[in-house]
Amino acid sequence: MENGREFRVNIWDFGGQEIYHATHQFFLTKRSLYALVADNRKEDTNFYRWLNVVELLSDSSPVLIVKNEKSDRTREINEPQLKGQFNNLKETLATNLAKNDQRLNNVIKEIKHQITSLPHLGTPLPKTWVKVRETLENDPRNYISLDEYLNICQQNGFTRHEDKLQLSGYLHDLGVCLHFQDDRILEKTLILKPKWGTDAVYRVLDDPQVINNLGKFTWEDLKKNLEGARI
């Protein structure tokens, strides 16, 4: 609840390991706030790489850099230079997540501020959109076919095909569901439980056989791990 308005927020935690990097393109969306948490102890965060990825794949959604100062070790960042190159970088903040650090309150406050400043918040939605969203959120299944989704839209007052796809794209941006409309393989499926989708991807990449094969996998590897993810 913020300023008398109630918001529902979907939080995504991206795997930072290199083997996961190629999967981020599937989950970076518009209408989002990104927090880049840097471990000051390791000093190996490639800020330019991550900021470029967010800028290119999320339509320049706002970004916060959070420096996690482990063992009281600080790290200087050339914030003016980064802000000069990336207009969507809003603030650079510091805290120590391992301690009861009062600066964490400032991080939380800034995150709330940036979320409530997103331009799409407060925009009234058609009742038909709300009904479809509620139907999808209450569906216990992990995924449904595109035809099932289109039928749900039809039952809730949609008539035009392009309006149905516009809604699924909007819900994808919000993290309510996942619909990869531009992918030949995935376009026919709506993933209703995004956590199930990300868990399935990481399950494949964490498979020892896939790791030994430097991230390469076969359709059989995919099938085996997705069946495991359904349990």
Side-chain angles (χ1 to χ4, degrees):
M1 184 76 70
E2 183 77 13
N3 296 328
R5 296 183 295 174
E6 183 177 356
F7 301 105
R8 285 185 290 178
V9 178
N10 294 302
I11 300 175
W12 296 69
D13 181 12
F14 294 98
Q17 295 92 325
E18 186 173 356
I19 196 171
Y20 297 149
H21 288 181
T23 68
H24 295 164
Q25 60 185 302
F26 292 107
F27 307 114
L28 290 171
T29 68
K30 307 172 186 177
R31 304 181 177 93
S32 300
L33 168 69
Y34 292 91
L36 174 56
V37 181
D39 187 342
N40 283 4
R41 182 180 57 183
K42 295 181 180 179
E43 296 190 1
D44 60 354
T45 303
N46 187 335
F47 293 103
Y48 285 93
R49 179 197 179 278
W50 289 109
L51 291 172
N52 266 310
V53 168
V54 173
E55 184 178 59
L56 291 172
L57 299 179
S58 70
D59 196 21
S60 298
S61 291
V63 183
L64 299 175
I65 290 178
V66 180
K67 298 185 296 182
N68 184 21
E69 298 178 345
K70 293 185 177 180
S71 302
D72 296 320
R73 185 174 183 177
T74 62
R75 178 182 181 185
E76 295 303 319
I77 297 176
N78 192 333
E79 184 174 355
Q81 182 177 346
L82 288 176
K83 282 188 173 181
Q85 186 168 346
F86 302 99
N87 294 328
N88 57 327
L89 175 58
K90 301 303 180 182
E91 296 290 344
T92 298
L93 307 164
T95 188
N96 187 328
L97 298 177
K99 296 183 177 181
N100 186 18
D101 192 334
Q102 292 300 313
R103 293 176 299 173
L104 181 58
N105 293 329
N106 294 331
V107 174
I108 295 172
K109 182 179 179 179
E110 184 62 28
I111 288 175
K112 289 181 177 180
H113 169 68
Q114 292 296 335
I115 288 177
T116 55
S117 298
L118 291 172
H120 68 281
L121 288 188
T123 302
L125 298 178
K127 290 183 179 180
T128 52
W129 286 36
V130 176
K131 289 179 181 178
V132 171
R133 173 175 178 163
E134 291 175 346
T135 300
L136 297 179
E137 289 181 324
N138 292 326
D139 194 311
R141 293 174 291 178
N142 291 321
Y143 60 90
I144 59 175
S145 69
L146 176 60
D147 287 340
E148 288 177 288
Y149 165 74
L150 295 175
N151 186 49
I152 290 172
C153 289
Q154 195 74 28
Q155 293 174 353
N156 284 282
F158 281 78
T159 55
R160 299 199 310 167
H161 183 76
E162 55 265 38
D163 291 341
K164 300 172 184 178
L165 294 183
Q166 182 185 11
L167 175 57
S168 68
Y170 180 81
L171 296 178
H172 176 101
D173 286 345
L174 296 184
V176 174
C177 63
L178 297 176
H179 185 205
F180 302 103
Q181 297 185 26
D182 298 326
D183 189 282
R184 285 191 306 110
I185 297 174
L186 299 175
E187 65 178 345
K188 298 297 183 182
T189 302
L190 258 77
I191 298 176
L192 301 182
K193 302 292 184 287
K195 185 178 185 303
W196 174 86
T198 54
D199 286 349
V201 171
Y202 291 152
R203 187 183 182 95
V204 174
L205 295 179
D206 287 339
D207 186 300
Q209 182 176 336
V210 174
I211 293 175
N212 290 335
N213 203 26
L214 302 180
K216 297 179 181 179
F217 56 89
T218 66
W219 280 107
E220 287 303 314
D221 294 327
L222 181 62
K223 181 179 178 181
K224 176 188 68 175
N225 284 287
L226 290 183
E227 286 176 346
R230 292 193 186 103
I231 298 175

